[in-house]
Amino acid sequence: MSILEYSFMQRAFLAGILLALITPCIGMTIVLKRMSMIGDALSHSSLAGVAAGLIFGINPVLSAAVVCVAAALGIERIRKKLPRYSEMAIAIVMSGGIGLAGVLSGFVKNSANFSSFLFGSIVAISREELVLVTVISLIVLITVLLLYKELFYIGFDENAARISGVPVQRINFVFTVLTALTISIASRTVGALIISSMLVVPAACGMQMGRSYKKALLWAVIVAVSTTIAGLILSYYAGWKPGGTIVLLEVVWFVIIVFRKALIKK
């Protein structure tokens, strides 16, 4: 019997592929802006939102999205106040997110529900959650396509982008919100502790394989989609955690690329 005959696997594949399409689009700009750790900061902050949602009986994904957006805007605010130490903003917000998640988790009655957000549970995604993932994924994908040139400019050089007439502050705001939304929905499917890797590793693979921004982004999407499909199939038959399996395959892909390039140079 094919695994796609099961409705829960159909939902898992659809949610996984949607996330695989948008995470490299967000991750590429994050890597170019040298803010790779922002995924960790926001994912840990999303756990605080998850805990708050479980405590007050709110949809954990929605509460995670609210907290994630607030944390992302907080990072941008601190970066503006301390431009010379912008990386410190990520550390401060991540510390606050971890602390708040740790305190709130103690008030969650069903710890199993909270734990499912740590490493994700994509095969247990409901129809309502799939609709939420689909809507947010489409919003992120359409916005990234519409702001393709602007994101390209601010990714490489914000000052040059500002001189060229790009509304850097507005684009950064939109991109920050998109990043937060992506991480919040991914915390339910692939896990809060894993999503930062899915933002960075495919982008790193794409940058090793493509010689231009467009080709690097295309390769990043190919890597993300391929490893997601392979990871879901492998995890189903081997009984492994899907999120962890997907990330390991992405890391293996990156290692193979690096070794292959090293051998070619020799």
Side-chain angles (χ1 to χ4, degrees):
M1 188 174 184
S2 171
I3 60 174
L4 288 178
E5 293 184 29
Y6 296 104
S7 59
F8 70 92
M9 287 304 298
Q10 292 173 4
R11 292 193 294 271
F13 272 99
L14 182 54
I17 291 171
L18 285 171
L19 287 173
L21 289 173
I22 64 173
T23 47
C25 297
I26 298 295
M28 186 64 70
T29 303
I30 286 175
V31 171
L32 290 174
K33 292 179 72 173
R34 292 171 175 80
M35 294 180 65
S36 298
M37 293 303 293
I38 194 173
D40 285 309
L42 296 183
S43 61
H44 284 86
S45 298
S46 73
L47 287 175
V50 168
L54 293 174
I55 292 170
F56 296 108
I58 305 169
N59 187 315
V61 177
L62 292 177
S63 58
V66 172
V67 173
C68 223
V69 169
L73 295 177
I75 289 175
E76 280 299 305
R77 185 71 174 175
I78 297 172
R79 284 182 69 221
K80 289 176 186 175
K81 292 289 184 180
L82 303 169
R84 292 183 61 187
Y85 306 99
S86 58
E87 75 282 351
M88 191 166 61
I90 297 175
I92 291 171
V93 171
M94 183 164 62
S95 300
I98 292 172
L100 187 58
V103 171
L104 292 178
S105 64
F107 295 96
V108 177
K109 293 180 180 180
N110 190 344
S111 58
N113 281 345
F114 181 75
S115 299
S116 68
F117 283 85
L118 295 175
F119 294 100
S121 184
I122 194 169
V123 293
I125 188 171
S126 65
R127 290 182 180 179
E128 292 76 16
E129 289 170 335
L130 178 59
V131 170
L132 186 60
V133 169
T134 303
V135 170
I136 293 179
S137 296
L138 289 175
I139 291 172
V140 172
L141 194 58
I142 292 170
T143 308
V144 167
L145 290 174
L146 291 174
L147 300 177
Y148 176 82
K149 289 183 178 178
E150 288 82 356
L151 291 174
F152 170 76
Y153 288 140
I154 68 168
F156 282 100
D157 193 333
E158 286 192 5
N159 291 327
R162 190 176 287 107
I163 294 170
S164 301
V166 176
V168 173
Q169 188 172 346
R170 193 181 306 166
I171 298 300
N172 272 331
F173 173 81
V174 172
F175 177 73
T176 299
V177 173
L178 293 180
T179 304
L181 290 175
T182 300
I183 290 173
S184 62
I185 60 170
S187 63
R188 175 68 178 96
T189 51
V190 297
L193 299 182
I194 292 174
I195 180 56
S196 60
S197 302
M198 292 186 68
L199 287 170
V200 174
V201 181
C205 291
M207 292 171 72
Q208 292 292 317
M209 300 171 74
R211 294 187 177 181
S212 66
Y213 177 81
K214 184 181 289 187
K215 288 182 179 179
L217 182 57
L218 180 60
W219 273 114
V221 171
I222 291 172
V223 170
V225 172
S226 300
T227 52
T228 296
I229 294 172
L232 285 171
I233 294 172
L234 183 59
S235 63
Y236 175 81
Y237 288 108
W240 297 348
K241 285 282 186 180
T245 306
I246 292 168
V247 170
L248 283 176
L249 289 176
E250 290 173 349
V251 172
V252 169
W253 193 315
F254 178 76
V255 171
I256 291 173
I257 295 170
V258 172
F259 271 102
R260 181 176 176 275
K261 292 185 77 172
L263 290 173
I264 291 173
K265 287 182 179 180
K266 289 182 178 179

